Amino acid sequence: MNSRLYFQAVRKRPMLHGVDGSFNSVAAFVLGFDAATNGGLLSGFREWLIVRINDGNNLAWPALAGRLLAVDCPHGDPGRVCADCGDQGGFELLGVLDEFLAIKEERNGLAKIFDAYLEWLKKQQWYRSDMLE
């Protein structure tokens, strides 16, 4: 079973995999899975999220995903998932992860993700090309 199918199964039956469905629980689970793959699972995920939300180059992927999901949160801070939405936010996080993995599985998907990120970087007023040296 590939990673994408596995996480779809986790989304359908989270308790079977020891996940309660909350944003924090799912994020911890995904971090553990990524560690087991030596970082291969989430390679490019942070960069994909940055381009998608057009911000957050200084943040780790859980904070970026929280910002993305908070856009639909009617309760509070638009920059992070509130406690009410976070209780079920893991399902949305798994949906975002599935979108990312689908793109990554495409032909040259990871290269396209990093290319889009580099293009995003070049548009930032704080970016300097010598930063890559």
Side-chain angles (χ1 to χ4, degrees), residues 64-97:
L64 293 164
R67 282 188 175 193
L68 178 64
L69 298 176
V71 170
D72 296 328
C73 175
H75 303 111
D77 185 357
R80 49 184 264 214
V81 177
C82 73
D84 292 335
C85 294
D87 288 343
Q88 296 300 312
F91 297 108
E92 286 78 19
L93 175 56
L94 288 170
V96 170
L97 180 61

